[in-house]
Amino acid sequence: MKINFLNILISLTTITLIASSCQKGDLLSNPNVAAESATVPASLILNHITANLMREEEPIISAVYRYNQNIVSNYSYYFGGNSYNWSNTNHTYDMIRYCSKLEEQAQKQYGNTTNVYFALSKFFRAYAFIWLTQRVGDIPMTQAGNQNNLTPVYDSQHDVYKNCLALLDTANTLLGNLTTTATASTKVDPSGDIFGLTYLQWRKVINTYKLRVLIDLSKRADDNADLNIKSQFANIIANPASYPIMNSNSDNMVYRYTTVTLYPPNRSGYSPYNNCENISQTFFNVTAAYNDPRVFVLAIPAPAQLAAGKQVSDFTAYVGEDNGKSQGLMSNFSTDGKYSSLSYNRYMSSASGANAEPYILLGYPELCFNIAEAAYRGWIPGVIAADWYYKGINASMNLYGLSQGQTVTIGNVDGTKPNMGTATIDINGFLANPNVAFDITNGLTQILTQKYVAFFMNSGYESYYNWRRTGVPAFSQGGVGIGTPSNQIPLRWQYPQDEINFNNTNYTSSIGTQYGGKDDVTAKMWLIK
């Protein structure tokens, strides 16, 4: 690709510098442009990478959470449709380009390839390549970024994952060599790292992310010995000194909104139209149906249920909408107040999202469920799946500030009406629910279900990816609202259009190898076969 991928290392040295004056009489040199040999502060490049790690399509209450079946839109004018009408994916080529420049400038600045910026660049590379491969399949990796090769060949998805796991190991090792008792609690770079993580916390992020990647490879754990999926997972758990992982929600990698970087529901001015979106039936099927107290702080009861005499503390008053239904029917029923909406108080009432939980890109609750799943699958003998299952649930409750016996106020739909009432949090009763109390015969489904709940409005497409891999929980499909020719949820995206336009020979060859010659969104990639 001539624009986004093949020129991936095109110079960034045209970064504008602030200058107070220009040299008289010299019309050939521009004092406002850095020379090719100039050193651009690595912190400046790191700031760009960390600020853009969350892709524009992924923030809270975006279309992603309709695809994850957390919410549904009943009115397209404000919130778009619900259909999975996927075509060509976006990409992360920009992140890869900046990783190359980060390494180049860090080497100039520090005179070595073992500094903290080099370490973080390995993580960001792995993150970027995995982001893309899990959407499409095989991608260019080993030849990507070579300016002398404008048509890089595709690496198999197997090799992409193998190389990315190695990059994550390198990142952890480099950071480990830099982390001492004195530096462990030191923030990596306050001017460049928007996440504000310490050396130790970055190692925890890297290794926690690696556990996510290994769990994503569960379908390939028994037929790809060279990947050592199970043993790599077990090695991290068995060696916390060498592979530190998250210990609590305080280690979460979160994107914090402010009055400058506005909370997504407010930056478009849509917050008064909260009633144009409803909670998905899929979500309530595994929360309200199980007496999950998180429902009380995330959503409001269906107004029609309250009008019929139900109390706000009655879980049957929380009614979800079917993602597979036509949007026209949804709009009619929403006018009648038949379905629940998000809590305006939590998600819509502050321009900075001050009343909502921080947006998690990678978090401790997910880690707990990943360890529980690996233990259940027998990857880490001696580790009890139930223990980590309950840790994950409790960590999710903690994220919302919930405790046993607490009284919470049920919000309203649009900020113009009084709050609806109060409810008492009963975590113990929830944990005793037969659908929730850990049962070894149904343990994997329970782990995956609670992981899905913990992903509510965070972590991008992770709910979808986990459903695609496991089928848990049961997503609604088959209805006209899904919007595909077969009304089935797609399993992948088509390749970026630039790849099709400018690397067509290798693209065509790879599509032939993987998907029988058709860039088909319903085809299964190696990862999920």
Side-chain angles (χ1 to χ4, degrees), residues 21-31:
S21 62
C22 61
Q23 182 179 354
K24 293 182 179 180
D26 185 355
L27 301 181
L28 299 179
S29 63
N30 183 350

Side-chain angles (χ1 to χ4, degrees), residues 88-138:
N88 305 96
T89 181
N90 293 323
H91 53 70
T92 47
Y93 304 153
D94 57 328
M95 192 186 305
I96 299 165
R97 179 176 69 243
Y98 274 90
C99 284
S100 297
K101 297 309 294 184
L102 180 62
E103 292 180 3
E104 175 187 311
Q105 295 302 315
Q107 186 170 6
K108 287 183 180 179
Q109 191 170 336
Y110 293 94
N112 62 62
T113 59
T114 57
N115 57 73
V116 66
Y117 298 104
F118 238 87
L120 291 179
S121 76
K122 304 303 180 187
F123 166 74
F124 297 130
R125 281 184 183 277
Y127 189 98
F129 282 122
I130 288 172
W131 190 95
L132 183 57
T133 190
Q134 65 186 346
R135 295 167 77 91
V136 295
D138 299 354

Side-chain angles (χ1 to χ4, degrees), residues 1-2 5-6 140 143-144 146-154 499 502-507:
M1 292 173 289
K2 295 180 180 177
F5 203 77
L6 304 179
Q143 292 185 5
N146 184 347
Q147 295 184 86
N148 297 317
N149 181 2
L150 300 183
T151 54
V153 298
Y154 282 52
E499 187 73 24
F502 302 115
N503 193 16
N504 189 264
T505 298
N506 288 320
Y507 157 77

Side-chain angles (χ1 to χ4, degrees), residues 218-219 373 377 444 448 465-473:
S218 66
K219 284 184 171 290
E373 179 179 344
R377 293 182 181 278
L444 184 58
L448 295 168
Y465 290 139
N466 276 268
W467 168 83
R468 182 179 69 173
R469 175 174 65 92
T470 68
V472 179

Side-chain angles (χ1 to χ4, degrees), residues 454-485:
F455 277 143
F456 187 80
M457 291 294 165
N458 69 71
S459 302
Y461 279 96
E462 287 306 306
S463 288
Y464 163 77
Y465 290 139
N466 276 268
W467 168 83
R468 182 179 69 173
R469 175 174 65 92
T470 68
V472 179
F475 276 20
S476 174
Q477 58 178 333
V480 296
I482 301 302
T484 60

